[in-house]
Amino acid sequence: MFNKFDVLETIDMIEKEHLDIRTVTMGLSLFSCIRETAQKTADAVYDLVMKKAEKLVPTAEALSREYGIPIVNKRVSVTPVSLLTAAFPAKSVLVGRALDRAAGNLGIDFLGGYSALVHKGTADYEETFLKTIPETLATTERLCSSVNVGSTHSGINMDAVRLMGQIVKEAAARTAEKDGLGCAKLVIFCNAVEDNPFMAGAFHGAGEADTVVNVGVSGPGVVHHALKFVPDADLTDAAELIKRTAFKITRAGQLVAKEAAHRLGARFGIVDLSLAPTPARGDSVAHILEELGLEVVGCHGTTAALAMLNDAVKKGGLMASSRVGGLSGAFIPVSEDIGMIESATSGNISIDKLEAMTCVCSVGLDMIAIPGDTPASTISAIIADEAAIGMINSKTTAVRVIPAPGKKVGDRVSFGGLLGEAPVMPVHGGSSEKLIARGGLIPAPVHSFKN
């Protein structure tokens, strides 16, 4: 039960420390929308989203007013579209545009699920679907796409990895006038989860109920502010403080999630307690790591500090709710974190260091701008490296890189809003072409055989 001190503390977190509910995401099953043609399926998809998510935005806004907690994004995730359009994959773009139109009409910020699951192999219809992604992202505004190319249990589908390098390049080229914005809406996963409320990787898994509400909370500023009161504490005490702070943040998220589900006639799914930063000062994961004692994020010790932060966040959240899920931990998107932006601009953090950090954080190489002339095979190799980290470590990893058309190292890309801006970072010059051209399947690790 909350006492008056809890209430005052929560108000302080909201007003001074950037505590917010980053997203209320409604997950919708679209299997009932499958029809004999692409157009009829698209029409059924549009009608279902309009009906089921009709009250999502006004409900979230009402809850925000009643509880005094900002709810930044109202989102929808849907069944992976490739499963709906297997009979007519070349026309999947019709379903994508129908989803985007529904999102726009309802005032939904982003809609995720233009997705495919190809972690063990790529069927002919899935390959055709994947090739529609660049056009679909270029001709929609709010739609997001994701592809799962590997898992600990199945290994890494290197044929899909090779294709995704080409697709990332094409998505950037089709949105060149916006610095390759299409790539900011495309995530390539290993070990993707079915209940992730965060974009661009959200989709509604086949094992989920028909209609679910998942909530993502975010409080980098709250954690950063709390650590300022213990500047000389040892790391054990710092971890305990982070755990207690994550507990409080998660409680606020669960309160909103359960009430939102009740009002929307949906099941309460999970609370994702990820520390998701924004470009706003005071809302940075990088600055938490610097508060722990790093002169600048990216210097030696960064991976250790991030490992402690991520673990403490998870432990605190798990004590606060029995429905913790999604990704849950700490995100390190370069363009969306003011501390990361500053470190990348000054040259203190590289893609190699970010890759090392992904071994212990929530997701992976996220919102990183690279030179526009980066070969597709190099992008595929970046995806393969990150997928290998996820596969071997039994964790979710992902790649969201933007080969910025016409840009070179030192130039900047700008997307605005939560997507932020970032300097173009260098990639290694050696060729990975032969490795990627081999294709095939990287076998699952020996420790995956558990049954």
Side-chain angles (χ1 to χ4, degrees), residues 108-138:
I108 292 164
D109 297 288
F110 288 107
L111 189 150
Y114 199 80
S115 306
L117 310 177
V118 293
H119 38 278
K120 198 169 185 180
T122 311
D124 290 343
Y125 77 86
E126 289 168 329
E127 183 168 341
T128 301
F129 172 83
L130 294 177
K131 291 177 180 178
T132 70
I133 290 175
E135 178 188 358
T136 303
L137 293 180

Side-chain angles (χ1 to χ4, degrees), residues 38 81-82 85-86 88-97 114 129 132 136:
V81 171
S82 67
T85 61
F88 31 80
K91 296 183 178 179
S92 299
V93 64
L94 296 177
V95 175
R97 290 171 181 166
Y114 199 80
F129 172 83
T132 70
T136 303

